[in-house]
Coordinates of all heavy atoms in Angstrom, one line a residue:
M1 N 112.4 101.6 116.0 CA 113.4 101.9 115.0 C 113.4 100.9 113.8 O 112.9 99.8 114.0 CB 114.8 101.8 115.6 CG 115.2 102.9 116.6 SD 115.4 104.5 115.9 CE 117.1 104.3 115.2
A2 N 113.8 101.4 112.7 CA 113.8 100.5 111.5 C 115.1 100.8 110.8 O 115.7 101.9 110.8 CB 112.6 100.9 110.6
R3 N 115.6 99.8 110.1 CA 116.8 99.9 109.3 C 116.5 99.9 107.8 O 115.8 98.9 107.4 CB 117.7 98.7 109.7 CG 119.1 98.7 109.0 CD 119.8 97.5 109.4 NE 119.0 96.3 109.3 CZ 119.3 95.2 108.6 NH1 120.4 95.1 108.1 NH2 118.4 94.2 108.5
I4 N 116.9 100.9 107.1 CA 116.6 101.0 105.7 C 118.0 100.8 105.0 O 118.9 101.5 105.2 CB 116.0 102.3 105.3 CG1 114.7 102.5 106.1 CG2 115.7 102.3 103.8 CD1 114.0 103.9 105.9
T5 N 118.0 99.9 104.0 CA 119.2 99.7 103.2 C 118.8 100.3 101.8 O 117.9 99.9 101.1 CB 119.5 98.2 103.0 OG1 119.8 97.7 104.3 CG2 120.8 98.0 102.2
F6 N 119.6 101.3 101.4 CA 119.5 101.9 100.1 C 120.6 101.3 99.2 O 121.7 101.3 99.5 CB 119.7 103.4 100.2 CG 118.6 104.1 100.9 CD1 118.8 104.4 102.3 CD2 117.5 104.6 100.3 CE1 117.8 105.1 103.0 CE2 116.5 105.2 101.0 CZ 116.7 105.5 102.4
I7 N 120.1 100.8 98.0 CA 121.1 100.2 97.1 C 121.1 101.1 95.8 O 120.1 101.3 95.2 CB 120.7 98.8 96.7 CG1 120.7 97.9 98.0 CG2 121.7 98.2 95.7 CD1 120.3 96.5 97.8
Q8 N 122.3 101.6 95.5 CA 122.5 102.5 94.3 C 122.5 101.6 93.1 O 122.8 100.4 93.1 CB 123.8 103.2 94.5 CG 123.8 104.2 95.6 CD 122.9 105.4 95.4 OE1 122.5 105.7 94.3 NE2 122.6 106.1 96.5
P9 N 122.3 102.2 91.9 CA 122.3 101.4 90.7 C 123.7 100.7 90.5 O 123.7 99.7 89.8 CB 122.1 102.5 89.6 CG 121.3 103.6 90.3 CD 121.8 103.6 91.7
D10 N 124.8 101.2 91.1 CA 126.1 100.6 90.9 C 126.3 99.4 92.0 O 127.3 98.8 92.0 CB 127.2 101.6 91.0 CG 127.4 102.2 92.4 OD1 126.6 101.8 93.3 OD2 128.3 103.0 92.5
G11 N 125.3 99.2 92.8 CA 125.3 98.1 93.8 C 125.8 98.5 95.1 O 125.7 97.8 96.1
S12 N 126.3 99.8 95.3 CA 126.8 100.2 96.6 C 125.6 100.4 97.5 O 124.5 100.8 97.1 CB 127.6 101.5 96.5 OG 126.8 102.5 95.9
E13 N 125.8 100.2 98.8 CA 124.8 100.2 99.8 C 125.0 101.3 100.9 O 126.2 101.5 101.2 CB 124.6 98.9 100.5 CG 124.2 97.8 99.5 CD 124.0 96.4 100.3 OE1 124.0 96.4 101.5 OE2 123.8 95.4 99.6
T14 N 123.9 101.9 101.3 CA 124.0 102.7 102.5 C 122.9 102.3 103.4 O 121.7 102.1 103.0 CB 123.7 104.2 102.1 OG1 124.7 104.6 101.2 CG2 123.8 105.1 103.4
V15 N 123.2 102.0 104.7 CA 122.2 101.6 105.7 C 122.0 102.7 106.7 O 123.0 103.3 107.2 CB 122.7 100.3 106.4 CG1 121.7 99.9 107.5 CG2 123.0 99.2 105.4
V16 N 120.7 103.1 106.9 CA 120.4 104.1 107.9 C 119.4 103.5 108.9 O 118.6 102.7 108.5 CB 119.9 105.4 107.2 CG1 120.9 105.9 106.2 CG2 118.6 105.1 106.5
N17 N 119.4 104.0 110.1 CA 118.4 103.7 111.1 C 117.5 104.9 111.3 O 118.0 106.0 111.5 CB 119.1 103.2 112.4 CG 119.9 102.0 112.2 OD1 119.3 100.9 111.8 ND2 121.2 102.0 112.4
V18 N 116.2 104.6 111.3 CA 115.2 105.7 111.4 C 114.1 105.3 112.4 O 113.9 104.1 112.6 CB 114.6 106.1 110.1 CG1 115.7 106.6 109.1 CG2 113.8 104.9 109.5
D19 N 113.4 106.3 112.9 CA 112.2 106.0 113.7 C 111.1 105.5 112.9 O 111.0 105.9 111.7 CB 111.8 107.3 114.5 CG 112.8 107.8 115.5 OD1 113.4 106.9 116.1 OD2 112.9 109.0 115.7
S20 N 110.3 104.6 113.4 CA 109.1 104.1 112.7 C 108.3 105.3 112.3 O 108.2 106.3 113.1 CB 108.3 103.2 113.6 OG 109.1 102.0 113.8
G21 N 107.6 105.3 111.2 CA 106.8 106.4 110.7 C 107.5 107.4 109.9 O 106.9 108.2 109.2
T22 N 108.8 107.3 109.8 CA 109.6 108.2 109.0 C 109.5 107.7 107.5 O 109.6 106.5 107.3 CB 111.1 108.2 109.4 OG1 111.2 108.6 110.7 CG2 111.9 109.1 108.5
S23 N 109.3 108.7 106.6 CA 109.2 108.2 105.2 C 110.6 107.9 104.7 O 111.6 108.4 105.2 CB 108.6 109.3 104.3 OG 109.6 110.4 104.1
V24 N 110.6 107.0 103.8 CA 111.9 106.5 103.2 C 112.6 107.7 102.5 O 113.8 107.8 102.5 CB 111.6 105.4 102.2 CG1 112.9 105.0 101.4 CG2 111.1 104.2 102.9
M25 N 111.8 108.6 101.9 CA 112.4 109.8 101.3 C 113.1 110.7 102.3 O 114.3 111.1 102.1 CB 111.3 110.6 100.6 CG 111.8 111.9 99.8 SD 111.9 113.3 100.9 CE 110.2 113.8 101.1
L26 N 112.5 111.0 103.4 CA 113.1 111.8 104.4 C 114.3 111.1 105.0 O 115.4 111.7 105.3 CB 112.1 112.1 105.5 CG 111.2 113.2 105.2 CD1 110.2 113.5 106.4 CD2 111.9 114.5 104.9
A27 N 114.3 109.8 105.2 CA 115.4 109.0 105.7 C 116.6 109.2 104.8 O 117.7 109.4 105.2 CB 115.0 107.5 105.8
A28 N 116.4 109.2 103.5 CA 117.4 109.4 102.5 C 118.0 110.8 102.6 O 119.2 111.0 102.6 CB 116.9 109.1 101.1
I29 N 117.1 111.8 102.5 CA 117.6 113.2 102.5 C 118.4 113.5 103.8 O 119.4 114.1 103.8 CB 116.3 114.1 102.4 CG1 115.6 113.9 101.1 CG2 116.8 115.6 102.5 CD1 116.3 114.2 99.8
R30 N 117.8 113.1 104.9 CA 118.5 113.4 106.2 C 119.8 112.7 106.4 O 120.6 113.2 107.2 CB 117.5 113.1 107.4 CG 116.3 114.0 107.5 CD 115.3 113.5 108.5 NE 114.2 114.4 108.6 CZ 113.1 114.1 109.3 NH1 112.9 112.9 109.9 NH2 112.1 114.9 109.3
N31 N 120.0 111.6 105.7 CA 121.2 110.9 105.9 C 122.2 111.0 104.6 O 123.1 110.2 104.5 CB 120.9 109.4 106.2 CG 120.3 109.2 107.5 OD1 121.0 109.3 108.5 ND2 119.0 109.1 107.6
G32 N 121.9 111.9 103.8 CA 122.8 112.2 102.6 C 122.9 111.1 101.6 O 123.9 111.0 100.9
V33 N 121.8 110.3 101.5 CA 121.8 109.3 100.5 C 121.5 109.9 99.1 O 120.5 110.6 99.0 CB 120.7 108.2 100.8 CG1 120.6 107.2 99.7 CG2 121.0 107.6 102.2
S34 N 122.4 109.7 98.2 CA 122.2 110.4 96.9 C 121.2 109.5 96.0 O 121.0 108.4 96.3 CB 123.5 110.5 96.1 OG 124.0 109.2 95.9
G35 N 120.6 110.2 95.0 CA 119.7 109.5 94.1 C 118.2 109.7 94.4 O 117.4 109.3 93.6
I36 N 117.9 110.3 95.5 CA 116.5 110.6 95.9 C 116.4 112.1 96.1 O 117.0 112.6 97.1 CB 116.0 109.8 97.1 CG1 116.0 108.3 96.8 CG2 114.6 110.3 97.5 CD1 115.6 107.4 98.0
D37 N 115.8 112.8 95.2 CA 115.8 114.2 95.3 C 114.7 114.8 96.2 O 114.9 115.7 97.0 CB 115.6 114.8 93.9 CG 116.8 114.5 93.0 OD1 117.9 114.1 93.5 OD2 116.6 114.5 91.7
G38 N 113.5 114.3 96.1 CA 112.4 114.7 96.9 C 112.1 116.2 96.8 O 111.9 116.9 97.8
E39 N 112.1 116.7 95.6 CA 112.0 118.1 95.3 C 110.7 118.8 95.9 O 110.7 119.9 96.3 CB 112.0 118.4 93.8 CG 113.4 118.2 93.2 CD 113.4 118.4 91.7 OE1 112.4 118.7 91.1 OE2 114.5 118.2 91.2
C40 N 109.6 118.1 96.0 CA 108.4 118.7 96.5 C 108.2 118.5 98.0 O 107.2 119.0 98.6 CB 107.2 118.2 95.8 SG 106.6 116.5 96.3
G41 N 109.1 117.9 98.6 CA 109.1 117.7 100.1 C 108.1 116.6 100.5 O 107.7 116.6 101.7
G42 N 107.6 115.9 99.6 CA 106.6 114.8 100.0 C 105.2 115.1 99.7 O 104.3 114.5 100.3
C43 N 104.9 116.2 98.9 CA 103.5 116.6 98.6 C 102.9 115.9 97.4 O 101.9 116.3 96.9 CB 103.5 118.1 98.4 SG 104.1 119.1 99.8
L44 N 103.5 114.9 96.9 CA 103.0 114.2 95.7 C 102.9 115.1 94.5 O 101.9 115.2 93.9 CB 101.7 113.5 96.0 CG 101.8 112.1 96.6 CD1 100.4 111.6 96.9 CD2 102.5 111.1 95.8
D45 N 104.0 115.8 94.3 CA 104.0 116.8 93.2 C 105.2 116.8 92.3 O 105.4 117.6 91.4 CB 103.8 118.2 93.8 CG 103.3 119.2 92.8 OD1 102.5 118.9 91.9 OD2 103.8 120.4 92.9
C46 N 106.1 115.8 92.5 CA 107.3 115.8 91.7 C 107.8 114.5 91.1 O 108.5 114.5 90.1 CB 108.4 116.5 92.5 SG 109.1 115.4 93.8
A47 N 107.6 113.4 91.8 CA 108.0 112.1 91.4 C 109.5 112.0 91.3 O 110.1 111.1 90.6 CB 107.4 111.7 90.0
T48 N 110.3 112.8 92.1 CA 111.7 112.7 92.2 C 112.2 111.9 93.4 O 113.3 112.0 93.8 CB 112.4 114.1 92.2 OG1 112.0 114.8 93.4 CG2 112.0 114.9 91.0
C49 N 111.3 111.1 93.9 CA 111.7 110.2 95.0 C 111.4 108.7 94.7 O 111.2 107.9 95.6 CB 110.9 110.6 96.2 SG 109.1 110.5 96.0
H50 N 111.5 108.4 93.4 CA 111.1 107.1 92.9 C 112.2 106.1 93.3 O 113.4 106.3 93.2 CB 111.1 107.2 91.4 CG 110.8 105.9 90.7 ND1 111.3 105.6 89.4 CD2 110.1 104.8 91.0 CE1 110.9 104.4 89.0 NE2 110.1 103.9 90.0
V51 N 111.7 105.0 93.9 CA 112.5 103.8 94.2 C 111.8 102.5 93.8 O 110.6 102.5 93.5 CB 112.8 103.8 95.8 CG1 113.6 105.0 96.2 CG2 111.5 103.6 96.6
Y52 N 112.6 101.5 93.9 CA 112.0 100.1 93.7 C 112.2 99.4 95.1 O 113.3 99.3 95.6 CB 112.8 99.3 92.7 CG 112.9 100.0 91.3 CD1 114.1 100.4 90.8 CD2 111.8 100.3 90.5 CE1 114.3 101.1 89.6 CE2 111.9 100.9 89.3 CZ 113.1 101.3 88.8 OH 113.2 102.0 87.6
I53 N 111.1 98.9 95.6 CA 111.2 98.2 96.8 C 111.6 96.8 96.5 O 111.3 96.2 95.5 CB 109.9 98.2 97.7 CG1 108.7 97.7 96.9 CG2 109.6 99.6 98.1 CD1 107.5 97.4 97.7
D54 N 112.4 96.2 97.5 CA 112.8 94.9 97.3 C 111.6 93.9 97.3 O 110.6 94.1 98.1 CB 113.7 94.5 98.5 CG 114.5 93.2 98.2 OD1 114.0 92.1 98.5 OD2 115.6 93.3 97.7
V55 N 111.6 93.0 96.4 CA 110.4 92.1 96.3 C 110.0 91.4 97.6 O 108.9 91.1 97.8 CB 110.6 91.1 95.2 CG1 110.6 91.8 93.8 CG2 111.8 90.3 95.3
S56 N 111.0 91.2 98.5 CA 110.7 90.5 99.7 C 109.8 91.3 100.6 O 109.1 90.8 101.5 CB 112.0 90.2 100.5 OG 112.6 91.3 100.8
H57 N 109.7 92.6 100.4 CA 108.8 93.5 101.2 C 107.5 93.8 100.5 O 106.7 94.5 101.2 CB 109.5 94.8 101.5 CG 110.9 94.7 102.1 ND1 111.0 94.1 103.3 CD2 112.1 95.0 101.7 CE1 112.3 94.1 103.6 NE2 113.0 94.7 102.6
S58 N 107.3 93.4 99.3 CA 106.1 93.9 98.6 C 104.8 93.6 99.2 O 103.8 94.3 99.0 CB 106.2 93.4 97.1 OG 106.2 92.0 97.1
G59 N 104.7 92.5 100.0 CA 103.5 92.2 100.6 C 103.3 92.7 102.0 O 102.2 92.7 102.6
S60 N 104.3 93.4 102.5 CA 104.2 93.8 103.9 C 104.0 95.3 104.1 O 103.8 95.8 105.2 CB 105.5 93.4 104.7 OG 106.6 93.9 104.0
L61 N 104.0 96.0 102.9 CA 103.8 97.5 103.0 C 102.4 97.8 102.5 O 101.8 97.1 101.7 CB 104.9 98.2 102.1 CG 106.3 98.0 102.5 CD1 107.2 98.4 101.4 CD2 106.6 98.9 103.8
A62 N 101.9 99.0 103.0 CA 100.6 99.4 102.5 C 100.7 99.7 101.0 O 101.7 100.2 100.5 CB 100.2 100.7 103.3
P63 N 99.7 99.3 100.3 CA 99.8 99.6 98.8 C 99.7 101.0 98.5 O 99.2 101.8 99.3 CB 98.5 98.8 98.3 CG 97.6 98.8 99.5 CD 98.4 98.7 100.7
P64 N 100.1 101.4 97.3 CA 100.1 102.8 96.9 C 98.6 103.3 96.8 O 97.8 102.5 96.3 CB 100.8 102.9 95.6 CG 100.8 101.5 95.1 CD 100.8 100.6 96.3
Q65 N 98.4 104.5 97.2 CA 97.0 105.1 97.0 C 96.9 105.6 95.6 O 97.9 105.8 94.8 CB 96.9 106.3 98.0 CG 96.9 105.8 99.4 CD 95.8 104.8 99.7 OE1 94.6 105.1 99.6 NE2 96.1 103.6 100.1
P66 N 95.7 105.9 95.1 CA 95.5 106.4 93.7 C 96.4 107.6 93.3 O 96.9 107.6 92.2 CB 94.0 106.7 93.7 CG 93.4 105.9 94.7 CD 94.4 105.8 95.8
E67 N 96.6 108.5 94.2 CA 97.4 109.7 93.8 C 98.8 109.3 93.5 O 99.5 109.8 92.6 CB 97.3 110.7 94.9 CG 96.0 111.3 95.2 CD 95.1 110.4 96.2 OE1 95.6 109.4 96.6 OE2 94.0 110.8 96.4
E68 N 99.3 108.4 94.3 CA 100.7 107.9 94.1 C 100.8 107.1 92.8 O 101.7 107.3 92.0 CB 101.2 107.0 95.3 CG 102.6 106.5 95.1 CD 103.1 105.6 96.2 OE1 102.4 105.5 97.2 OE2 104.2 105.0 96.0
L69 N 99.8 106.3 92.6 CA 99.8 105.5 91.3 C 99.8 106.4 90.1 O 100.5 106.2 89.1 CB 98.6 104.5 91.3 CG 98.7 103.3 92.2 CD1 97.4 102.6 92.3 CD2 99.8 102.4 91.8
E70 N 99.0 107.5 90.2 CA 98.9 108.4 89.1 C 100.3 109.1 88.8 O 100.7 109.2 87.7 CB 97.8 109.5 89.3 CG 97.7 110.4 88.2 CD 96.6 111.4 88.5 OE1 95.7 111.2 89.4 OE2 96.5 112.5 87.8
L71 N 100.9 109.5 89.9 CA 102.2 110.2 89.7 C 103.3 109.3 89.3 O 104.3 109.7 88.6 CB 102.6 110.9 91.0 CG 103.7 112.0 90.9 CD1 103.4 113.0 89.9 CD2 103.9 112.7 92.3
L72 N 103.2 108.0 89.7 CA 104.2 107.0 89.2 C 104.2 107.0 87.7 O 105.2 106.5 87.1 CB 103.9 105.7 89.8 CG 104.4 105.4 91.2 CD1 103.8 104.2 91.8 CD2 105.9 105.4 91.2
G73 N 103.2 107.4 87.0 CA 103.1 107.4 85.6 C 104.1 108.5 85.0 O 104.3 108.5 83.8
S74 N 104.6 109.4 85.8 CA 105.5 110.4 85.3 C 106.9 110.2 85.7 O 107.7 111.2 85.5 CB 105.0 111.8 85.6 OG 104.9 111.9 87.0
V75 N 107.3 109.1 86.3 CA 108.7 108.9 86.7 C 109.6 108.8 85.4 O 109.1 108.3 84.4 CB 108.9 107.6 87.6 CG1 108.2 107.8 88.9 CG2 108.5 106.4 86.9
T76 N 110.8 109.2 85.5 CA 111.7 109.2 84.4 C 112.4 107.9 84.2 O 112.7 107.5 83.0 CB 112.7 110.3 84.4 OG1 113.4 110.2 85.7 CG2 112.1 111.7 84.4
A77 N 112.7 107.1 85.2 CA 113.3 105.8 85.1 C 112.2 104.8 84.8 O 111.0 105.1 84.8 CB 114.0 105.4 86.4
T78 N 112.6 103.6 84.4 CA 111.6 102.6 84.1 C 110.7 102.3 85.3 O 111.1 102.1 86.4 CB 112.4 101.3 83.7 OG1 113.2 101.5 82.6 CG2 111.4 100.2 83.4
R79 N 109.4 102.3 85.0 CA 108.4 102.0 86.0 C 108.3 100.5 86.1 O 108.1 99.8 85.1 CB 107.1 102.6 85.7 CG 106.1 102.3 86.8 CD 104.8 103.1 86.5 NE 103.8 102.7 87.5 CZ 102.5 103.2 87.5 NH1 102.2 104.1 86.6 NH2 101.7 102.9 88.5
K80 N 108.4 99.9 87.3 CA 108.3 98.5 87.5 C 107.1 98.2 88.5 O 106.7 99.1 89.2 CB 109.6 97.9 88.1 CG 110.8 98.2 87.2 CD 112.1 97.6 87.9 CE 113.3 97.9 87.1 NZ 114.5 97.4 87.7
P81 N 106.7 96.9 88.6 CA 105.7 96.6 89.6 C 106.1 96.9 91.0 O 105.2 97.2 91.9 CB 105.6 95.1 89.4 CG 106.0 94.8 88.0 CD 107.1 95.8 87.7
T82 N 107.4 97.0 91.3 CA 107.9 97.4 92.6 C 108.2 98.9 92.8 O 108.7 99.3 93.8 CB 109.2 96.6 92.9 OG1 110.1 96.9 91.9 CG2 108.9 95.1 93.0
S83 N 107.8 99.7 91.8 CA 108.0 101.1 91.9 C 107.2 101.7 93.0 O 106.0 101.4 93.1 CB 107.7 101.8 90.5 OG 108.7 101.5 89.6
R84 N 107.8 102.6 93.7 CA 107.0 103.4 94.7 C 107.6 104.8 94.8 O 108.8 105.0 94.4 CB 107.1 102.8 96.1 CG 106.4 101.4 96.3 CD 104.9 101.5 96.1 NE 104.3 102.4 97.0 CZ 103.7 102.1 98.2 NH1 103.8 100.8 98.6 NH2 103.1 103.0 98.9
L85 N 106.8 105.7 95.3 CA 107.4 107.0 95.6 C 107.7 107.0 97.1 O 106.9 106.8 97.9 CB 106.3 108.1 95.3 CG 106.0 108.2 93.8 CD1 104.9 109.3 93.6 CD2 107.2 108.5 92.9
S86 N 109.0 107.2 97.3 CA 109.5 106.9 98.7 C 109.0 107.9 99.7 O 109.0 107.6 100.9 CB 111.0 106.9 98.7 OG 111.6 108.2 98.3
C87 N 108.4 109.1 99.3 CA 107.8 110.0 100.3 C 106.5 109.4 100.8 O 106.1 109.8 101.9 CB 107.6 111.4 99.7 SG 106.3 111.4 98.4
Q88 N 106.0 108.4 100.1 CA 104.7 107.8 100.6 C 105.0 106.5 101.3 O 104.0 105.9 101.8 CB 103.8 107.6 99.4 CG 103.5 108.8 98.6 CD 102.8 109.9 99.5 OE1 101.8 109.7 100.1 NE2 103.5 111.1 99.6
L89 N 106.2 106.1 101.4 CA 106.6 104.9 102.1 C 106.9 105.2 103.5 O 108.0 105.7 103.8 CB 107.7 104.2 101.4 CG 107.5 103.4 100.2 CD1 108.8 102.9 99.6 CD2 106.6 102.2 100.5
K90 N 106.0 105.0 104.4 CA 106.3 105.2 105.9 C 106.3 103.8 106.6 O 105.3 103.1 106.4 CB 105.3 106.1 106.5 CG 105.4 107.5 105.8 CD 104.5 108.5 106.4 CE 104.8 109.9 105.8 NZ 103.6 110.5 105.3
L91 N 107.3 103.5 107.3 CA 107.4 102.2 107.8 C 106.6 102.1 109.1 O 106.8 102.8 110.1 CB 108.9 101.9 108.1 CG 109.8 101.9 106.9 CD1 111.2 101.5 107.3 CD2 109.2 101.1 105.8
P92 N 105.7 101.1 109.2 CA 104.9 100.9 110.4 C 105.8 100.2 111.4 O 106.9 99.6 111.1 CB 103.8 100.0 110.0 CG 104.3 99.3 108.8 CD 105.3 100.2 108.1
P93 N 105.5 100.3 112.7 CA 106.4 99.6 113.7 C 106.6 98.1 113.5 O 107.6 97.6 113.9 CB 105.6 99.8 115.0 CG 104.7 101.0 114.8 CD 104.4 101.0 113.3
S94 N 105.7 97.5 112.7 CA 105.8 96.1 112.5 C 107.0 95.7 111.5 O 107.4 94.6 111.4 CB 104.5 95.5 111.9 OG 104.2 96.2 110.7
I95 N 107.5 96.7 110.8 CA 108.6 96.5 109.9 C 109.8 97.1 110.4 O 109.9 98.3 110.7 CB 108.2 97.1 108.5 CG1 107.0 96.4 107.9 CG2 109.4 97.0 107.6 CD1 106.6 97.0 106.5
T96 N 110.8 96.3 110.6 CA 112.1 96.7 111.2 C 113.2 96.8 110.2 O 114.3 97.3 110.6 CB 112.5 95.8 112.4 OG1 112.6 94.5 111.9 CG2 111.5 95.8 113.5
A97 N 113.0 96.4 109.0 CA 114.0 96.4 108.0 C 113.4 96.5 106.6 O 112.4 95.9 106.4 CB 115.0 95.2 108.1
L98 N 114.0 97.3 105.8 CA 113.5 97.5 104.4 C 114.7 97.7 103.5 O 115.6 98.4 103.9 CB 112.5 98.7 104.4 CG 111.9 99.1 103.0 CD1 110.9 98.0 102.6 CD2 111.3 100.5 103.0
T99 N 114.6 97.2 102.3 CA 115.6 97.4 101.3 C 114.9 98.1 100.1 O 113.9 97.6 99.6 CB 116.3 96.1 100.9 OG1 116.9 95.5 102.0 CG2 117.3 96.3 99.8
V100 N 115.5 99.2 99.7 CA 115.0 99.8 98.5 C 116.2 100.0 97.5 O 117.3 100.2 97.9 CB 114.4 101.2 98.8 CG1 113.2 101.0 99.7 CG2 115.3 102.2 99.4
H101 N 115.8 100.0 96.2 CA 116.8 100.2 95.1 C 116.5 101.5 94.5 O 115.4 101.8 94.1 CB 116.7 99.1 94.1 CG 116.9 97.7 94.6 ND1 118.1 97.0 94.5 CD2 116.1 96.9 95.3 CE1 118.0 95.9 95.1 NE2 116.8 95.7 95.6
I102 N 117.5 102.3 94.4 CA 117.4 103.7 93.8 C 117.3 103.6 92.3 O 118.1 102.8 91.7 CB 118.5 104.6 94.4 CG1 118.3 104.8 95.9 CG2 118.5 105.9 93.7 CD1 119.3 105.5 96.6
S103 N 116.4 104.3 91.7 CA 116.0 104.1 90.3 C 117.1 104.5 89.3 O 117.0 104.1 88.2 CB 114.7 104.7 90.0 OG 114.8 106.1 90.2
G104 N 117.9 105.5 89.7 CA 119.0 105.9 88.7 C 118.8 107.3 88.2 O 119.7 108.1 88.2
T105 N 117.6 107.6 87.7 CA 117.3 108.9 87.2 C 116.0 109.4 87.9 O 115.1 108.6 88.0 CB 117.2 109.0 85.7 OG1 116.1 108.2 85.3 CG2 118.5 108.7 85.0
Q106 N 116.0 110.7 88.3 CA 114.8 111.2 88.9 C 114.2 112.4 88.2 O 113.1 112.7 88.4 CB 115.2 111.7 90.4 CG 115.7 110.6 91.3 CD 114.5 109.7 91.7 OE1 113.3 109.9 91.4 NE2 114.9 108.6 92.4
S107 N 115.0 113.0 87.3 CA 114.4 114.2 86.6 C 115.0 114.4 85.3 O 116.0 113.8 85.0 CB 114.5 115.4 87.5 OG 115.8 115.7 87.8
Ligands
FES1 S1 109.0 113.9 97.1 FE1 107.8 114.7 95.5 S2 106.5 113.1 95.1 FE2 107.7 112.3 96.6

């Protein structure tokens, strides 16, 4: 199990517990977390699942693959070094907690 903390642009937080291997996008959708649309269902075709990972986790997650990096070029909110597409963020068993900041606009 892993605990994901979603932080909205207004600072409000939602904490959800998910099985390891679940994508951050699915964790948000299944738990009614607003601000992550996930329109393509995780097929790397929409960029509506943009989040910023907390800097404390940046070294412990697998880096984005070229397809994700390319699609990050079309996000509507400001792209930052910590930008990720949450459908591609799957937590390995070694990570039991993750904090992500929701970007504010998705489309
Ligand atoms: S859900 Fe469409 S790119 Fe992530």
